[in-house]
Amino acid sequence: MPLPDEPIQWPPKPFDDHREELKTHNAWYANDTDELTRIYRAGGQVRPAQLAGGVVGALARFWWGRPNEQENHRLHIPAASDIARAMSDLIFSQSPMFVVGEDDSVGDRDAAQKRLQKLTGEDDTATALLEAAELGSALGGTFLRLWWDKEISDKVMFSSVPADSAVPEWRYDRLSAVTFSTVVRSDKDVLYRHLERHEAGKIFHGLYRGEAGHLGRKLPLEDVPETEWAGKIVDKDGAILTGSDMLAARYVPNVRPNRKWRTVPGLAPLGRSDFDGLEPLFDALDEAYTSWMRDLDLGKARLFVDEDMLRAEKGGQGASFDSEQAIFTPMKAGLGSAVSGGSGIMANQFTIRWQEHSNTCAELLAAIMRGAGLSSSSVADGALTAAVSKTATEVNSADRMSERTRDKKIKYWKSELRPLSMAAMQIDNHIFGTGIELKEMPEVRFPIRPQQDPVAQSGSIAALRAAKSMSIEQSVRERNPNWSSDDVNDEVDRIVKDMKMEAELMMAQPEPPELDDPQYEGDDAR
């Protein structure tokens, strides 16, 4: 179906409710303290809201929802954005490899593999996947989109679209169509939106003039410079033919099920954010760190001096005390307040409860990481990991939670990257005329993160080789789990060649002479 011609609500129900939830997660992710204050004050600064029930009361009882006259002293810790970054690094710090099977291409497999590598293995694709994984961690999922422009690139490109800029349509729990919305121009309350609708084999483009919450009326694409390019290439229905029978966009859920929306039609297939249920802990962590900083401020050394020791200033300017003054005129007995035994000066410094605050913050951070499915070492927090005092085995054991989370999320990514890479090859052939066709979807191989440190791993391999329980090929695979079969075979050939060379050198060396040899006779024979 094409894009709407009549003014409608935007985003349509039930995605308007979903967008509101994403605003909260986005505020934590973006470290936007002004937005957090607005959200958790539930529309006002009155304390009675904190006593109310329901959503209003729950939000107002957050620390960020409490009235506070000293706003500038609130400290925010970017724990949420740290989680999103760590999740992205965990999955895509090393890029996956897309592989064409032996019989999965029409014609030359090597040419197909080379073109697939150009589409998926270069830095632009790697950065798009990193961005997509970080956005997906925060917003519960992310969309991957294919695009092309012969003036910019000689291939089909990958890009990410955040979940709060899309309205998906599902067939069961699979994406059947999606509409991306972008505000290309804002004139006070008037919004110009560019809608890009992806269906199998087609991409529709439309321009709308409306306002917040309403799409407004449809305009020609040429009306604004931001969409003029699309107006030159769409057909009479406003569509671009992709040359593929597959969608040029995919949705990758962060993790399922979505606990809150699992019974809501249209929202149930969406993934859930890694922040889901952790908002109170984020709030408590900010409160704990702010209390710690307040202790530092209150613990500063302060001097209380007798008023007779103050130096009078000009009229109306009060009096001051010179802390650098070396000599003071002694006061007569009985004068002044006799503070601190009559000296006139008393020092005061409160105890800073750093240990209590440190332990509290560490416990909150540990609970946050555990709730997100991360090992504390994934965020490299020294107070939590103390890795310098752990053995390699203990560190590897502590990383298991992160590895389980990574393995689970990789399955979601593989299920969507395979069809997307297939669509990319089909569109690439249609647009750029590569002549390369695939019969089956490419395989996606994610790098393996070795759990053993190199020293322990080499010892294990050496023991197995000495016991004749491991072949040279398997030892190379164990040592280099991310290598392709061709790389492994080449390394095995090099090792065998080196072993033969060493054996030949040993055979070529002359045997040492025996002691009864005539050259050892005489005085030098000992």
Side-chain angles (χ1 to χ4, degrees), residues 116-128:
L116 179 62
Q117 179 65 17
K118 183 175 179 62
L119 297 185
T120 63
E122 296 186 349
D123 290 341
D124 50 16
T125 304
T127 54

Side-chain angles (χ1 to χ4, degrees), residues 137-381:
S137 172
L139 303 180
T142 189
F143 290 86
L144 291 173
R145 171 178 58 183
L146 300 175
W147 64 276
W148 57 92
D149 188 335
K150 289 185 176 181
E151 296 181 0
I152 298 176
S153 177
D154 61 349
K155 65 173 185 175
V156 172
M157 306 283 285
F158 290 69
S159 66
S160 67
V161 181
D164 54 2
S165 298
V167 176
E169 297 175 21
W170 314 96
R171 187 167 298 165
Y172 295 96
D173 62 344
R174 307 295 292 182
L175 187 70
S176 61
V178 60
T179 302
F180 300 127
S181 172
T182 306
V183 176
V184 296
R185 178 171 295 190
S186 177
D187 184 10
K188 295 183 179 179
D189 294 333
V190 178
L191 302 178
Y192 290 82
R193 292 184 179 91
H194 173 214
L195 264 58
E196 178 182 321
R197 178 178 172 81
H198 287 249
E199 296 180 1
K202 296 180 179 180
I203 302 176
F204 295 91
H205 291 269
L207 176 66
Y208 295 82
R209 184 181 186 274
E211 57 189 12
H214 296 278
L215 188 59
R217 63 186 181 92
K218 193 173 184 179
L219 301 176
L221 289 163
E222 295 83 359
D223 277 13
V224 298
E226 291 82 359
T227 57
E228 186 177 3
W229 63 271
K232 298 177 181 179
I233 58 177
V234 297
D235 60 18
K236 59 182 179 61
D237 296 324
I240 299 173
L241 300 181
T242 65
S244 170
D245 58 354
M246 306 176 71
L247 278 174
R250 308 295 298 189
Y251 175 71
V252 184
N254 180 54
V255 65
R256 284 171 174 163
N258 190 315
R259 302 183 184 104
K260 184 174 182 179
W261 305 106
R262 63 182 181 82
T263 60
V264 180
L267 302 184
L270 294 172
R272 72 173 184 266
S273 169
D274 286 322
F275 308 162
D276 183 46
L278 299 181
E279 299 92 330
L281 291 175
F282 293 152
D283 188 72
L285 182 64
D286 287 350
E287 183 177 8
Y289 266 102
T290 300
S291 175
W292 193 349
M293 295 303 103
R294 185 167 58 247
D295 253 29
L296 290 176
D297 183 56
L298 294 176
K300 294 177 181 177
R302 288 174 171 83
L303 294 179
F304 295 89
V305 299
D306 191 282
E307 63 179 355
D308 292 330
M309 302 184 70
L310 300 178
R311 181 179 62 192
E313 302 291 349
K314 296 179 180 179
Q317 297 184 3
S320 63
F321 175 73
D322 185 3
S323 61
E324 300 296 327
Q325 185 173 343
I327 301 175
F328 294 91
T329 302
M331 295 180 294
K332 295 181 179 179
L335 293 178
S337 61
V339 178
S340 186
S343 66
I345 302 176
M346 182 181 68
N348 186 74
Q349 186 170 13
F350 294 105
T351 301
I352 300 174
R353 301 166 297 167
W354 69 272
Q355 189 66 61
E356 292 86 347
H357 280 101
S358 178
N359 291 342
T360 301
C361 293
E363 288 293 334
L364 288 170
L365 279 171
I368 287 171
M369 294 300 112
R370 185 170 59 251
L374 287 173
S375 305
S376 55
S377 57
S378 297
V379 294
D381 187 87

Side-chain angles (χ1 to χ4, degrees), residues 6-27:
E6 301 295 330
I8 60 172
Q9 174 186 331
W10 197 264
K13 290 184 176 298
F15 296 98
D16 52 344
D17 294 332
H18 182 244
R19 293 280 179 91
E20 289 300 317
E21 180 185 72
L22 293 187
K23 286 181 181 179
T24 302
H25 289 160
N26 185 69

